[in-house]
Amino acid sequence: MLPILSLILIIIGGVIAGLIGSLTGLGGAVILTPLLVLGLGVPIYYAAGASLIASIATSSGAASAYVKDKITNIKIGMSLEVGTTLGAIAGVLIAAAIYRANAIAIIFILFGVILIFSIYPSMREILKIKNKFKNFKSDKTTKIFQLKGSYYDEKLKKRVRYYGIRWWYSEAIMVFAGVISGLLGVGSGALKVLSLDHMMRLPPKVSAATSDFMIGVTAATGTAIYWELGYMQPFIAGAAAIGVLTGSFLGSKFLNREGNGFIRKLFVVVILILGVQMILRGFGVI
Amino acid sequence: MDANKSIGWILRIGAIISILLILFGMFLLFINNGGSNYTLTQITSHKSKLSTANISTTQIINGISSLDGISYIILGLIVLIATPVLRVLYSVYFFARENNKLYVFITAIVLLDLLIAIFVIPFIMKSL
């Protein structure tokens, strides 16, 4: 393939992943890997390495806005990163063992399953599962870990106060999110949102922003080990980072996350198809 | 300055610097028709043998002064990875200033995890 064509294709893949990521709240990397692997024939370990890099880029790029707007809860994010970083270390070690044993099929199948599962935050919005958030009774961990905060809701035009509960359960899911992140080279945004939503019981906006914020640290943990093992190709990773960052920037600028019902549904279908294809590839069908 | 502002600022600056370095590296790759003793075709091949494992730190440092594209891309990637680490490091400092002992401890553990992942585990795995 012509070098310039190769560059353009990877960047386009990144832009698509970034666009879908910013609309669905997935950060983009979870779609980048199947696009690179199924679409361009990039080996899965290089694609996973590039995805980790893209996750960090979008986390730093997109999350900085939420942090500045004070929607992100820094304390909750930091305290749960204890779990995601430990999990990520374990996940990469498992990935290394799988690659060394040449059992790549496991990675493909697991990736497909996680991809299909990752439509969860979008489905929540599409099916209009109501903002079930209300102030639950605080528990011991609320006090110990100082899990409270408030943010200004543009839509409601008022300050929403909230607090988080069940820190230990939330942390346990975060360990699992970290393992998946390291194992597959993704940010594990969907699992983080699940944990923050259903365990911590945070308002959806705070969950999404805090998850974005956490992804950078989780992905950085895995990246270093991928780097040393040679699962990172600088050209592919660099081009993907440029593409994903551009895509998520365009997405947040021109596509309204609240509206665009049709586009969002279309993207959910794309993610489902990619998930099924990854599983089929894992079983050697395609 | 409040923590949100500083952290948002660290993240944004880190992302911008790293992307500029990567873009400059890409530009150099195409101008020089390759980099780090690989041809452009070898580098851009999707099954390329070039990976982060076979480029040494000395090679990167020398490459920066000789305007080698791969070295600039790698430098950009290193800045990108360092950004969240800096963000955690800053949080340790911030909570220490606030005298929040529990959160100094928590952020220090996260920092320790990151440093172990970056400096200790790769070293152990290499020697296996």
Side-chain angles (χ1 to χ4, degrees):
Chain A
M1 196 188 293
L2 268 177
I4 189 78
L5 188 65
S6 162
L7 176 68
I8 292 172
L9 284 177
I10 296 172
I11 291 182
I12 290 177
V15 171
I16 296 172
L19 272 174
I20 298 183
S22 75
L23 255 185
T24 53
L26 293 178
V30 78
I31 305 133
L32 183 67
T33 299
L35 284 181
L36 291 180
V37 172
L38 302 169
L40 298 177
V42 172
I44 192 157
Y45 43 90
Y46 282 164
S51 281
L52 279 175
I53 287 293
S55 301
I56 304 175
T58 41
S59 177
S60 292
S64 66
Y66 293 127
V67 173
K68 274 188 176 161
D69 293 342
K70 301 193 179 184
I71 299 174
T72 310
N73 190 312
I74 294 180
K75 273 186 190 161
I76 293 180
M78 294 282 335
S79 67
L80 295 176
E81 275 165 9
V82 173
T84 61
T85 48
L86 282 174
I89 292 174
V92 181
L93 296 179
I94 300 170
I98 292 176
Y99 285 133
R100 278 187 186 166
N102 238 335
I104 295 178
I106 300 174
I107 301 275
F108 271 97
I109 295 165
L110 206 57
F111 202 106
V113 172
I114 290 293
L115 200 56
I116 292 170
F117 165 75
S118 71
I119 62 170
Y120 159 76
S122 309
M123 289 311 286
R124 184 186 65 182
E125 286 174 41
I126 289 173
L127 297 176
K128 302 229 173 358
I129 294 177
K130 251 287 145 256
N131 216 326
K132 266 202 218 129
F133 163 72
K134 56 177 195 247
N135 271 326
F136 290 86
K137 231 182 160 166
S138 61
D139 62 13
K140 260 190 204 152
T141 59
T142 312
K143 201 164 173 223
I144 298 172
F145 294 103
Q146 304 144 33
L147 313 173
K148 56 181 190 324
S150 68
Y151 71 100
Y152 184 76
D153 194 303
E154 296 282 348
K155 237 181 175 173
L156 302 171
K157 299 250 180 273
K158 65 167 189 182
R159 187 151 279 281
V160 177
R161 283 174 206 289
Y162 61 88
Y163 40 90
I165 57 173
R166 296 188 288 196
W167 187 84
W168 293 105
Y169 294 102
S170 190
E171 187 76 281
I173 299 184
M174 290 301 179
V175 173
F176 180 65
V179 171
I180 295 295
S181 170
L183 181 55
L184 305 179
V186 296
S188 279
L191 277 167
K192 291 193 174 90
V193 169
L194 181 83
S195 165
L196 295 169
D197 266 11
H198 293 286
M199 286 302 154
M200 277 259 159
R201 297 283 192 189
L202 300 182
K205 267 199 177 152
V206 179
S207 296
T210 305
S211 157
D212 272 358
F213 174 72
M214 296 174 64
I215 284 173
V217 167
T218 316
T221 314
T223 309
I225 308 170
Y226 270 68
W227 186 291
E228 200 55 53
L229 294 175
Y231 298 153
M232 194 88 71
Q233 210 276 19
F235 171 77
I236 298 174
I242 295 170
V244 171
L245 210 56
T246 312
S248 58
F249 177 75
L250 292 176
S252 62
K253 208 86 190 163
F254 300 109
L255 297 171
N256 184 353
R257 207 155 154 175
E258 318 286 322
N260 295 300
F262 173 73
I263 301 179
R264 179 130 28 79
K265 279 174 202 158
L266 184 76
F267 284 162
V268 167
V269 174
V270 171
I271 294 173
L272 278 179
I273 293 171
L274 289 175
V276 171
Q277 279 190 309
M278 289 297 274
I279 294 174
L280 292 178
R281 175 70 68 92
F283 283 113
V285 181
I286 54 168
Chain B
M1 214 196 286
D2 82 299
N4 289 71
K5 260 203 188 126
S6 319
I7 289 178
W9 190 80
I10 291 172
L11 295 178
R12 192 163 291 186
I13 298 287
I16 292 172
I17 293 177
S18 70
I19 287 300
L20 288 179
L21 285 169
I22 293 170
L23 281 172
F24 184 59
M26 289 288 175
F27 172 76
L28 289 175
L29 269 191
F30 280 83
I31 293 289
N32 299 335
N33 201 23
S36 294
N37 299 324
Y38 289 86
T39 67
L40 190 58
T41 322
Q42 284 170 335
I43 292 168
T44 56
S45 152
H46 294 152
K47 299 200 163 52
S48 170
K49 289 270 174 291
L50 166 76
S51 86
T52 42
N54 44 38
I55 292 184
S56 68
T57 322
T58 7
Q59 224 176 322
I60 299 167
I61 296 167
N62 292 333
I64 297 298
S65 51
S66 61
L67 293 179
D68 166 58
I70 289 293
S71 299
Y72 274 88
I73 294 175
I74 289 185
L75 186 64
L77 296 177
I78 291 173
V79 171
L80 197 66
I81 299 168
T83 307
V85 183
L86 268 179
R87 187 265 267 176
V88 175
L89 192 65
Y90 173 80
S91 313
V92 179
Y93 160 79
F94 172 79
F95 288 121
R97 223 185 39 181
E98 288 224 311
N99 221 347
N100 190 333
K101 290 200 185 74
L102 176 69
Y103 271 87
V104 170
F105 180 66
I106 286 175
T107 44
I109 294 180
V110 176
L111 186 65
L112 193 68
D113 286 350
L114 271 169
L115 295 179
I116 288 175
I118 294 172
F119 297 109
V120 181
I121 293 180
F123 183 75
I124 295 173
M125 298 207 64
K126 234 180 176 175
S127 60
L128 282 181

